[in-house]
Amino acid sequence: MSNTEVLPLLEIVDGQGVVPCCPPLTERPMTAEEAETAARMFKALGDPVRLRLFSAVASHEGGEACVCDISDVGVSQPTVSHHLKKLKEAGLLTSERRGTWVYYRVEQSVLAAMGKLLTTTAAV
């Protein structure tokens, strides 16, 4: 059992749908909470194996991948499971158990939120 807290990249706001956790970096300085959330995401993606796993899930046909389809990243299965857990804790992946397999998904809104964070704000 893990005692870590998942910090979502997205928040659901009444009437506004899904809103990214953090503004674009060029919009204004981040609050401490926003920086913690973004740092957790970047830290999770800062490992080459995790980045490969995240990319494998994000680019997999149908937008989801069974752990059996993405485990060929040059490390043992327990290590793959560890890295997938870290990606989930960072709010980058969701998972669903179907029988004996676990399927992972990157929600499109997460990808949009990540892109928005690194986008410059439009000039007014």
Side-chain angles (χ1 to χ4, degrees):
M1 176 135 182
S2 174
N3 62 356
T4 58
E5 176 186 354
V6 175
L7 296 176
L9 292 175
L10 304 168
E11 297 174 11
I12 298 175
V13 179
D14 292 336
Q16 295 181 5
V18 178
V19 177
C21 73
C22 312
L25 293 174
T26 58
E27 184 177 298
R28 63 169 170 75
M30 287 182 164
T31 66
E33 184 178 319
E34 291 168 342
E36 184 178 332
T37 301
R40 185 169 294 211
M41 173 195 67
F42 286 122
K43 184 176 180 180
L45 291 175
D47 182 282
V49 173
R50 288 185 201 147
L51 189 55
R52 288 184 66 201
L53 288 168
F54 184 75
S55 175
V57 173
S59 64
H60 201 269
E61 184 178 333
E64 69 178 8
C66 173
V67 70
C68 61
D69 295 328
I70 59 172
S71 60
D72 187 20
V73 291
V75 296
S76 68
Q77 180 56 46
T79 303
V80 168
S81 295
H82 167 77
H83 287 303
L84 289 169
K85 177 184 172 188
K86 293 297 182 184
L87 290 167
K88 281 183 60 176
E89 288 174 349
L92 297 172
L93 293 180
T94 59
S95 66
E96 177 185 353
R97 180 170 292 281
R98 297 181 198 156
T100 59
W101 296 110
V102 177
Y103 287 78
Y104 291 89
R105 174 179 293 278
V106 177
E107 298 297 333
Q108 292 302 312
S109 53
V110 169
L111 292 174
M114 290 170 60
K116 201 168 206 179
L117 176 66
L118 298 173
T119 304
T120 59
T121 56
V124 180

